[in-house]
């Protein structure tokens, strides 16, 4: 095993370890890493001596900060297509993780965002810690939640998922559990011991039992106390009406949330709302991934993505110039264009369904 490899593989007992190994980039995913993980899962599935897979991230900052956004940005600026090839394999990996027949244990410690959610939150045993910060922050860079994120957020209680999708807010362990993004809370100080003890698990039931021995009550989250105004405001049919309800609710936190939303890409906001609502109707993860692939391919060619990454990550001036600049300037036809069929370029996990 070469410690310079971006994905490290080894086996302890009957547990196959997959470690994301780009700690300086908070283990941001590259196409090579996606293919390596996919191959590792295919091998583990066939290997009768492997009871479970354990996913973790190298370094102290987090499991995975998402896709390699700088590489995608450069590809978009150059009018390339390698990012589309990356997403095709990444989304297929997300589907493989969700249907993996053995326990897939994900240590969602530290930062877990975007693509990091995709390689962890579709697993069957998802562990968060007091350091976890879980988010789908795409609207802030002119993009739309993907990697099955709209499927996960659409399944959250009430309108919590809509709130997280539009704001891009990161949540801690308690709220990740509330929203269905994780299953168990284990204090970070116990992860080494948990990992050691998992090596002795010889059946899937023993894997789960071992995790439960270390799992404890999580820190109290923040979202439950805000359910009343979140559910009432985000039930609106449009982003404009959601913002209006937030502004007029009389709740300071709701008004602050409206201000946050209005800093995001107007186009990304409207497409994100349509994506989450569409995901609710579609139901299956595979169908949602097909929808997300269409949306991602469209967003990749729009100006807001390049501008959002420039403002937030490249120049870091935090002053994106969105185009269009206002919600009212984004038409229903503009939104519908993101969901148009791709013909021969479809991801193809399910038969094509109607656009939302």
């Amino acid at each position: 095993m070469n410690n310079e490899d971006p994905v490290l593989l080894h086996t302890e007992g009957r547990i196959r370890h997959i470690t994301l190994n780009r700690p300086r980039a908070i283990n941001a995913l590259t196409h090579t890493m996606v293919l390596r993980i996919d191959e590792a899962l295919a091998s583990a599935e066939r290997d009768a001596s492997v009871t479970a897979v354990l996913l973790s991230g190298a370094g102290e900052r987090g499991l995975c900060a998402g896709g390699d956004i700088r590489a995608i940005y450069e590809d978009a600026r150059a009018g390339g297509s390698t990012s589309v090839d990356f997403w095709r394999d990444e989304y297929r990996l997300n589907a493989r993780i969700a249907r993996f027949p053995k326990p897939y244990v994900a240590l969602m410690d530290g930062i877990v965002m975007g693509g990091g959610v995709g390689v962890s939150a579709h697993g069957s045993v998802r562990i968060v810690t007091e350091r976890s910060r879980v988010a789908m922050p795409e609207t802030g860079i002119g993009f739309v939640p993907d990697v099955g994120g709209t499927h996960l957020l659409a399944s959250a209680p009430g309108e919590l998922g809509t709130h997280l999708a539009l704001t891009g807010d990161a949540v801690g362990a308690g709220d990740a559990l509330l929203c269905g993004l994780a299953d168990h809370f284990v204090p970070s100080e116990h992860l080494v011991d948990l990992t050691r003890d998992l090596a002795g698990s010889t059946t899937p039931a023993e894997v789960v039992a071992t995790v439960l021995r270390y799992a404890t009550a999580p820190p109290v989250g923040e979202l439950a106390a805000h359910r009343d105004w979140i559910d009432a405001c985000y039930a609106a049919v449009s982003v404009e009406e959601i913002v209006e309800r937030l502004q007029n609710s009389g709740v300071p936190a709701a008004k602050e949330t409206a201000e946050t939303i209005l800093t995001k890409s107007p186009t990304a906001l409207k497409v994100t709302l349509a994506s989450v609502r569409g995901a609710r109707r579609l139901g299956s993860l595979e169908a949602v991934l097909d929808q997300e692939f269409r949306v991602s391919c469209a967003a990749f060619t729009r100006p807001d993505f390049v501008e959002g990454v420039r403002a937030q990550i490249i120049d870091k001036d935090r002053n994106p110039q969105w185009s269009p600049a206002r919600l009212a300037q984004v038409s229903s036809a503009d939104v519908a264009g993101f969901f148009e069929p791709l013909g021969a370029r479809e991801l193809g996990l399910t038969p094509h369904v109607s656009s939302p």
Side-chain angles (χ1 to χ4, degrees):
M1 180 173 63
N2 182 351
N3 287 335
E4 297 300 315
D5 287 344
V7 176
L8 302 178
L9 305 173
H10 73 282
T11 301
E12 291 185 24
R14 299 186 65 177
I15 307 299
R16 181 69 49 82
H17 289 248
I18 302 175
T19 304
L20 308 182
N21 188 40
R22 296 184 69 212
R24 286 180 292 182
I26 319 180
N27 303 313
L29 294 171
T30 64
H31 199 169
T32 297
M33 293 170 72
V34 164
L35 295 175
R36 179 84 160 142
I37 297 166
D38 191 74
E39 291 169 0
L41 292 182
S43 173
E45 184 173 344
R46 294 190 302 266
D47 192 338
S49 70
V50 173
T51 297
V53 164
L54 177 67
L55 179 77
S56 62
E60 299 296 322
R61 299 169 68 189
L63 173 67
C64 177
D68 188 340
I69 202 67
R70 286 179 178 267
I72 299 171
Y73 165 81
E74 295 295 346
D75 188 31
R77 287 187 67 199
S81 61
T82 58
S83 298
V84 172
D85 296 334
F86 164 62
W87 288 325
R88 184 181 298 278
D89 288 325
E90 183 183 25
Y91 298 177
R92 289 183 177 278
L93 172 62
N94 301 145
R96 179 190 280 277
I97 290 168
R99 60 177 178 256
F100 192 66
K102 301 176 182 182
Y104 182 100
V105 183
L107 301 185
M108 301 171 68
D109 186 31
I111 292 172
V112 186
M113 296 185 178
V117 173
V119 294
S120 60
H122 298 301
S124 54
V125 185
R126 306 165 299 173
I127 297 169
V128 284
T129 75
E130 77 285 353
R131 302 186 299 206
S132 297
R133 301 298 295 168
V134 184
M136 295 298 298
E138 286 77 8
T139 56
I141 57 168
F143 204 65
V144 178
D146 64 338
V147 297
T150 60
H151 174 77
L152 294 164
L153 295 173
S155 303
E159 294 293 336
L160 293 178
T162 311
H163 168 70
L164 295 181
L166 295 183
T167 62
D169 285 353
V171 297
D175 287 328
L177 290 162
L178 171 64
C179 292
L181 301 172
D183 304 302
H184 308 286
F185 172 76
V186 175
S188 59
E189 63 183 343
H190 296 317
L191 292 181
V192 171
D193 292 338
L194 168 61
T195 300
R196 179 200 64 220
D197 288 353
L198 280 171
S201 301
T202 59
T203 66
E206 288 182 8
V207 170
V208 175
T210 300
V211 171
L212 289 175
R213 286 204 306 273
Y214 284 94
T216 61
V220 176
E222 301 175 5
L223 291 178
H226 299 296
R227 278 291 301 277
D228 286 349
W229 64 261
I230 287 176
D231 289 351
C233 294
Y234 287 95
V237 298
S238 68
V239 178
E240 290 95 330
E241 188 179 349
I242 288 172
V243 171
E244 182 179 1
R245 289 188 185 187
L246 290 168
Q247 291 172 328
N248 297 331
S249 67
V251 180
K255 186 174 182 180
E256 291 174 8
T257 297
E259 294 172 357
T260 295
I261 290 174
L262 290 173
T263 67
K264 312 299 183 181
S265 159
T267 300
L269 288 170
K270 287 199 170 183
V271 177
T272 293
L273 182 62
S275 295
V276 173
R277 299 275 164 86
R280 286 178 181 167
R281 293 191 296 270
L282 290 170
S284 77
L285 172 62
E286 285 81 3
V288 173
L289 286 166
D290 279 345
Q291 172 178 273
E292 289 180 349
F293 187 70
R294 295 178 200 116
V295 170
S296 295
C297 288
F300 182 67
T301 66
R302 302 305 201 270
D304 275 5
F305 173 63
V306 168
E307 172 61 10
V309 177
R310 180 208 63 77
Q312 303 296 344
I313 296 170
I314 306 300
D315 296 339
K316 299 183 179 179
D317 58 32
R318 308 291 192 264
N319 186 32
Q321 302 302 303
W322 304 123
S323 178
R326 295 187 294 111
L327 287 166
Q329 296 173 310
V330 183
S331 70
S332 297
D334 293 332
V335 174
F338 282 74
F339 297 88
E340 287 295 320
L342 299 174
R345 297 187 298 118
E346 289 279 357
L347 182 62
L349 292 177
T350 59
H352 176 55
V353 294
S354 306
S355 301

